[in-house]
Amino acid sequence: MKNSGRAGRAKKRKSIILSVLLGMLTFVCCYPIIFLLAGSFMGTGELSENLGSMFQGNGGYASWTLLPFEPTLRSWAEVVLDTPGFFVMFWNSMKITGGILLGQAVFGIPAAWGFARYRFRRALFFLYIVMMMMPFQVMMLSDYLIIKEMHLMDTLWAVILPGIFSTLPVFIISQYFKEIPEEILEAARIDGAGETGIFLRIGLPLGKAGIISAMVLQFLECFNMLEQPMTFLKKQSLWPLSMFQPQITAETAGAAFAASVFTLLPAIWVFAAGYEFLESGIQAYYGSNV
Amino acid sequence: MIRKKERWGLMFVLPGLTGVLVFYAIPCGDVIRRAFTQSLTGHFAGLMNFKQVLDNAAFRLAAGNTARMMCVCVPVLVALSLILAVPLQRGIRGGRWIKSGLLVPMAVPVASVVLLWQCMFSKQGFLNGALSLFGTAETDWMNTRYAFAILVFSYVWKNLGYSVILWIAALEGIPGEIYEAARVDGAGELLIFFRITIPNLFSAFFTITVLSLINSFKVFREAYLVAGDYPDESIYMLQHLFNNWYRNMDTDKMAAGGVLSGAMLFVLICLFYTARQINLPHSELEGNIADEEFRKSRKG
C-alpha cells in the first residue's frame, strides 16, 4: 500500500514535470503572437529604445520586454487611419479568400458528394490526389499559360479561379460524406426523394463538419498564399496581405508591428472559431486513406 | 438502375471536374508536351530541355537544397511530433491546452511572423545579443549558411501541431481489444509493441511523412519574405529558380524543370503508397499473434 502510494506520487510528479516541459514548448510556439501584440502597443519611443540598435548601427543589440511599459494605441491608429495602402492589401486578401471559398462551396462540395457516394473510376480520384500534392513550381507554367490564354493576367481572377478548383477541399469533404451510412440514403430513395434532394437535405447537413473544417483549412491556406499572387499579380494595387513585407526602420517599426497584428487577426479568429472542426478536419485530410 | 446512379454521380462531379481539367490537367499535359519541344522552333526536342536543365548549375543548387531541406525537415518533424504525441495521448495535465497551443502557428500568417524573425536573427538582433553574453562573435544568421537552420526551425514550428494531432489520432486508433486479446493469448509486451503498435502506426507514418514532404516546399514563403529573391545560397530553393525562369520567360526550362520535379515527387508518393499497402490489416495481425502463441503453447 505504502509502496504503491510512493509510486503513485512519483508518477504524478513525472506527469507534472512533463506538463511543465510541454507547456514551455507551447509557450514558445505561441510566443510570436505575444511578441507582435506587445510590439504593436509600444510607442515609437519605446520601440526605438528596444530595437534601435538594429537600424542605427551603433553597435549593441536589440532588446525586448515581454509587455510594453507605456501601452499606446498610436501604432494601431497609424495603420487604420494613415495607411490606405494597407487597407487595399487587406481587402485584396479578403476578396481572394472569399472568392475562392465561395467558388469551392459551389463547385467543390457537389464534386465531393459525387466522388463519395457514386461509383467512379479510381483513376479519376487519383488525378485529384496527384493535383492536390503538386507544389506550385510544378504547376506554375501550366497555370500561367491558361491564365494568359484567358487574358486574366494582373486581375484577382488569376489567383481566384485556379484556387476555386483546387482539389484539396474536394478530397477532405468527400472523406466525411463517405461516412454517412448508405441505409439512410436508400430509405430516402424509397420514400421517393430525388438524388439532388438527397444531397441537399441529407448530405449537406450530415457533412456539415467536413465542409466547415475544409473551409477553415482553406481559409488559412488562401490567406497565406504567396507564390500565386507574386507570379500573376504585377500591379501593386492588387497585392494581398500575404505579400506584405514589413520594414523595421526607426519611423515605421510601430506601424509594421500593428500591420502584422492586423494580418494575424483574421487568421487567428477563424482558427479559434473553427478550432473544433479544424482538429477533425486535419484528421480527415491527413489521416485518411490516400 | 446502377447506370442511372452513375450518371447522377457525374452530374455532381462534372462542374468541378471541368474546372480541374481546364485549370490543371489539360495545361499540365501541355507542359509535358512543351518539355519535349523547343519553344522557338516548335520542333520536337527529345530530351534536350531536360539535359539543359540538368546541366544548369542553378538547378542543381536549387534541387540539391530542396532535397536537403526535405531530408532534414521531414525526419525531425516526424520524430519530434511522435515524441510529443505519446504523453499527450496518455493524458497529462493541461493536455488540451498544449495541443491547441501547438497548433496555433499553423494559423499565424508568414507575413506577420517575418517581423519576429527579423528581430531575432538580424545582425544586431536578439539571438546575437543573447550570444554576446557568452562572448560569441556576431553572425548574420539570415545571410550565412545558418539560414538553412532557421528555415528548418520555422518549418518545424509551423507544422508541429498538426503532426502531433495526427499521431495522437493514430495512437488512439489502435483498438484496445487487440492489446487485450494479445495479452490474454499471453503475448509479451515486446511482442505486442513490435507486432501491434508499430504496424498500426505505419499507416499514420506514411501520411504524416507524405504531408510533411509536401509542406516542406512551403518554406519558400519564409525564405522569400525574409531574404527576398536572392537569398543566401544555402536556402536557394526550386521556387526561387522557377521565379527567375519565369521572369525571363524561360518556358523550355520551366516545362522541363516542372516535369522533372513533379515526376520525382510523384515517384516518392507512389513509393510511400506501396510501402503502406504492404502493411497488414488489424485482424490478420491478431490472427498471427494468436497462431504463434498457440504454436508455442503446443510445443511447450
Side-chain angles (χ1 to χ4, degrees), chain A residues 12 16 18-19 22-23 25-26 28-30 32-33 35-36 51 53-54 59-64 107 110-111 113-115 118-120 122 124 126 128 130-131 133-146 150 153 161-162 165-167 182 189 195-196 199 217 220-221 223-224 226-227 230-231 241-242 244-246 248 256-257 260 263-264 267 271 275 278-279 282-283 285-290, chain B residues 2 5-6 8-10 12-13 15-17 19-25 27-28 30-31 34 84 87-88 92-93 97-119 122-126 128-129 132 138 157-158 160 162 165-166 169 206-207 210-211 214-215 217-218 220-221 224-225 229 238-239 242-243 246 249 251 254-255 258 261-262 265-266 269-270 273 276:
Chain A
K12 207 169 167 190
I16 289 173
L18 251 168
S19 288
L22 287 183
L25 191 75
T26 311
V28 171
C29 279
C30 299
I33 296 176
F35 171 79
L36 292 174
L51 302 176
S53 35
M54 273 171 64
Y61 299 99
S63 61
W64 197 253
F107 293 99
W113 180 254
F115 277 122
Y118 300 90
R119 269 194 291 156
F120 273 100
R122 277 178 69 98
L124 199 59
F126 190 65
Y128 269 60
V130 171
M131 290 293 151
M133 291 181 164
M134 287 298 150
F136 179 67
Q137 75 222 14
V138 175
M139 311 299 295
M140 196 176 184
L141 180 62
S142 50
D143 271 3
Y144 166 73
L145 292 172
I146 188 74
M150 293 182 160
M153 280 305 272
L161 276 179
F165 297 105
S166 148
T167 55
E182 183 66 30
R189 276 194 195 108
E195 298 295 310
T196 323
F199 166 60
L217 277 170
L220 298 179
E221 180 59 32
F223 200 67
N224 228 340
L226 176 67
E227 294 90 342
M230 84 185 251
T231 312
L241 266 186
S242 41
F244 162 72
Q245 274 170 302
I248 341 178
F257 272 95
S260 290
T263 310
L264 188 67
F271 174 82
Y275 179 73
L278 188 70
E279 213 179 300
I282 291 171
Q283 284 164 16
Y285 165 21
Y286 304 107
S288 55
N289 301 313
V290 174
Chain B
I2 283 168
K5 269 190 72 184
E6 272 174 2
W8 267 105
L10 204 60
F12 282 116
V13 170
L17 182 63
V20 172
L21 290 177
V22 168
F23 283 99
Y24 294 98
C28 228
D30 187 48
V31 167
R34 274 165 192 272
L84 293 178
L88 283 173
I92 56 169
R93 259 160 219 255
W97 285 100
I98 293 173
K99 234 163 52 173
S100 345
L102 291 176
L103 205 55
V104 162
M106 191 177 165
V108 177
V110 179
S112 57
V113 81
V114 161
L115 207 54
L116 174 59
W117 268 212
Q118 279 176 3
C119 294
S122 86
K123 218 165 172 181
Q124 307 316 123
F126 303 148
N128 276 339
S132 73
E138 273 176 22
W157 172 74
K158 203 165 180 73
L160 194 59
Y162 79 76
I165 285 185
L166 287 179
F206 159 79
T207 26
V210 167
L211 281 153
I214 292 163
N215 282 333
F217 285 103
K218 292 184 183 154
F220 163 77
R221 294 176 180 173
Y224 178 78
L225 286 175
D229 275 323
L238 277 174
Q239 188 64 55
F242 274 70
N243 288 344
Y246 177 76
M249 270 295 122
T251 51
M254 277 178 87
S261 41
L265 197 67
F266 185 75
I269 291 168
C270 287
Y273 188 58
R276 186 190 173 178

Side-chain angles (χ1 to χ4, degrees), chain B residues 181-192:
Chain B
R183 276 197 196 103
V184 169
D185 287 344
E189 287 301 318
L190 216 63
L191 186 66
I192 290 176

